[in-house]
């Protein structure tokens, strides 16, 4: 299998994040490949790791001072073997093709674990929305979709938000899409409730993370009640992870953004979480302002020269990284383990670097990768697509019931797959194997396409 990695590295030497994502999959599915030599004979790995299509395009736009800018737009359509391409759009200056390919591959597996069959994609731009006015964001989104609209549609590819793309951006993207196509179809998810969105889509990824954690604890005869929890990030996934943890009786003591973290030893309550939502979603301010209002809390400024994040030094029972990939480095994992962390559940995709994951495995820390634990987002995206097709809307209670059942099912599938292949209890291995089997069987059934 090292030949596959070698070929990928030779062909696209700059895509180290993608090579790492491929390595994780190869390590996890090794026992499956041993049992099924026909998978290698049919070049299934080669097919799985080469996107079906990658769209690269120019995004020109004008800022409020009438300056022109050009960014790169990308959509990686990785696999449609089991359903239309599905996955987020990320607007962040760190975006590269390698990162988007790794997220698209992640989504192939994640989406295969959900009850509704969906293919995998991811896209975005190196555009930085931070500090931009609403009109600048609108012009950028309109220019982005003026090209992307040709490639997407409710039966082809259905984008959603991700870092830097929330309700505001989906509104602008969908509005322009609708105008260009002259049709109102469910070609994006994450839409507002008033115009085709689903109840709880905004909350889904974070709530799903907590439902997954609750399943992991229940399997050990425990619950979230009273557990001290660290949550990183302060965006969509982090806010709703913290909110649901508090609702389920846990004590959440931290959140963060790219500038630093807040630590409130007393724990958050619903009023504090509402304050944070207003701070981040409406005022679009920095998380550090929390300590101006709640003076018992402390602000831990992020020192980018350090190879660890001070947030992960805080003692906790459970850690929920919900900001971005590789935010838990080996050093962070060492701090968490030394402080007795029991559970690490990823809200952000690939939140833990491979060396950190290795340490969790060595020390027996219960660990769930994003491709299983944050699948709640795409579970409810699938429900939004189903509601759009039927032209009806389900209540929040109905969606929540389906989300919870979906997360329970994913947890069970991961454990069953891990057990079947001799790695009982390993959710990382189980998630990769369960997703892999669903997709490669579809590829075999459908011939060489
Ligand atoms: P948001 O843009 O809403 O929030 C992202 C948060 O993470 C912000 O607080 C941001 O800080 C912080 N952050 C982003 N990049 C970095 C970085 N390089 N270093 C430190 N902090 C950073 O995004 P989401 O909450 O939607 O996404 C968070 C994670 O969850 C991502 O990994 C995403 O792929 C994953 N995810 C999202 C889903 C969704 O439905 N939205 C579904 C499943 C997974 P700042 O405010 O300073 O930028
Ligand atoms: O990475 C992800 O799962 C998302 N950003 C959401 C994808 C989706 O299509 O709901």
């Amino acid at each position: 299998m090292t030949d596959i990695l070698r070929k990928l590295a030779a062909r696209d030497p700059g895509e180290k994040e993608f090579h790492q994502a491929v390595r994780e999959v190869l390590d996890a599915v090794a026992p499956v490949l041993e049992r099924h030599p026909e998978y290698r004979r049919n070049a299934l790995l080669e097919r799985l790791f080469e996107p079906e299509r990658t769209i690269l395009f120019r995004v020109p736009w004008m800022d409020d001072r009438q300056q022109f800018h050009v960014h790169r737009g990308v959509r990686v359509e990785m696999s449609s073997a089991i359903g239309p391409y599905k996955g987020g759009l990320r607007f962040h200056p760190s975006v590269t093709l390698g990162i988007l390919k790794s997220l698209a591959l992640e989504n192939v597996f994640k989406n295969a674990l959900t009850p509704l069959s969906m293919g995998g994609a991811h896209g975005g731009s190196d555009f930085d929305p931070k500090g931009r006015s609403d009109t600048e964001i609108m012009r950028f989104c309109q220019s982005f979709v003026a090209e992307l609209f040709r490639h997407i549609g409710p039966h082809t590819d259905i984008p959603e938000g991700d870092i830097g793309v929330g309700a505001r951006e989906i509104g602008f993207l969908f509005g322009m899409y609708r105008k260009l196509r002259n049709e109102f179809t469910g070609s994006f998810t994450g839409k507002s409730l008033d115009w085709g969105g689903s109840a709880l889509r905004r909350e889904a990824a974070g709530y799903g993370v907590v439902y997954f954690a609750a399943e992991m604890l229940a399997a050990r005869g425990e619950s979230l009640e009273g557990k001290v929890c660290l949550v990183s990030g302060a965006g969509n996934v982090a806010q709703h992870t913290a909110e649901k943890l508090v609702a389920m009786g846990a004590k959440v003591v931290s959140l963060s953004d790219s500038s630093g973290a807040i630590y409130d030893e007393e724990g958050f309550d619903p009023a504090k979480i509402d304050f944070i939502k207003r701070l981040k979603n409406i005022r679009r301010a920095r998380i550090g302002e929390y300590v101006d209002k709640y003076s018992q809390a402390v602000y831990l400024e992020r020192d980018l020269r350090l190879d660890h994040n001070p947030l992960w030094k805080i003692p906790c029972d459970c850690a929920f990284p919900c900001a971005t990939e590789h935010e838990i480095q080996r050093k962070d994992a060492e701090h968490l383990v030394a402080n007795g962390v029991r559970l690490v559940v990823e809200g952000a995709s690939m939140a833990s670097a491979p060396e950190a994951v290795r340490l969790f495995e060595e020390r027996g820390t219960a660990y769930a990768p994003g491709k299983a634990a944050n699948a709640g987002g795409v579970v409810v995206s699938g429900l939004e697509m189903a509601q759009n097709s039927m032209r009806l809307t389900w209540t929040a209670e109905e969606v929540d019931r389906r989300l919870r059942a979906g997360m329970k099912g994913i947890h069970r599938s991961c454990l069953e797959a891990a057990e079947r292949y001799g790695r009982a209890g390993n959710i990382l291995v189980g998630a990769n194997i369960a997703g892999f089997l669903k997709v490669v069987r579809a590829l075999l059934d459908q011939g060489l396409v």
Side-chain angles (χ1 to χ4, degrees), residues 298-309:
V298 290
Y299 180 59
L300 308 166
E301 195 163 353
R302 183 137 178 247
D303 185 341
L304 291 170
R305 290 162 308 179
L306 297 178
D307 66 343
H308 66 274
N309 185 339

Side-chain angles (χ1 to χ4, degrees), residues 193-247:
L193 268 181
D194 293 333
W195 41 270
S198 172
L200 292 193
R201 175 58 190 89
R202 199 163 299 172
E203 295 82 354
Y207 284 13
V209 166
V210 181
Y211 293 154
F212 198 91
E215 290 299 318
M216 290 171 76
L217 286 167
R220 292 162 176 75
E222 294 182 52
S223 81
L224 282 162
E225 186 78 40
K227 294 275 187 309
V228 175
C229 299
L230 296 181
V231 179
S232 67
N236 174 296
V237 180
Q239 290 170 15
H240 297 106
T241 296
E243 180 173 86
K244 185 54 85 178
L245 282 171
V246 170

Side-chain angles (χ1 to χ4, degrees), residues 86-89 103 107 110-111 122 158-162 189 201 349 374 377-378 381:
K86 183 83 196 84
L89 291 173
L103 290 165
N107 285 348
K110 183 195 307 186
N111 298 358
H122 212 94
I158 306 95
E160 159 70 57
D162 191 74
T189 58
R201 175 58 190 89
S349 298
N374 72 26
V378 77
S381 284

